[in-house]
Amino acid sequence: WCIFRWPGRTATAVKVGTPVKRVSLLDGTKEFPFNWDENSKRLKITGLPSLPPDDICTVLKVEFEDIPQLAEEPDLAAWING
């Protein structure tokens, strides 16, 4: 996951249809706690540094339990409600 605009201590991805096993920096030096919600299909990564580790683009490696799938989202405005 390439992050050009660093979100701060927490990052959220939506429509993640496959359970997540692990989240780390691309080089594997640091792992981060996360929560993947099976109902909302939302991945929330916490414990990120307040400033990006890379000046241009930080890459988080997200490892999945299976082949990653994009979740269906019948209500395209659902993300607004958190």
Side-chain angles (χ1 to χ4, degrees):
W1 178 8
C2 298
I3 302 177
F4 292 98
R5 281 192 190 163
W6 192 249
R9 311 259 322 138
T10 303
T12 303
V14 296
K15 297 172 49 172
V16 179
T18 307
V20 176
K21 288 194 319 188
R22 183 176 303 120
V23 177
S24 65
L25 289 176
L26 182 60
D27 64 7
T29 57
K30 173 85 172 137
E31 283 192 26
F32 301 104
F34 66 90
N35 178 44
W36 178 75
D37 187 296
E38 187 172 1
N39 294 321
S40 68
K41 306 298 186 195
R42 199 172 288 219
L43 171 63
K44 185 175 184 178
I45 303 166
T46 58
L48 297 171
S50 55
L51 297 174
D54 187 278
D55 291 337
I56 298 172
C57 177
T58 297
V59 179
L60 296 180
K61 179 169 69 172
V62 180
E63 296 178 49
F64 296 92
E65 291 183 6
D66 202 349
I67 297 170
Q69 299 290 323
L70 186 63
E72 295 277 330
E73 188 174 356
D75 179 3
L76 297 179
W79 65 272
I80 295 172
N81 297 323

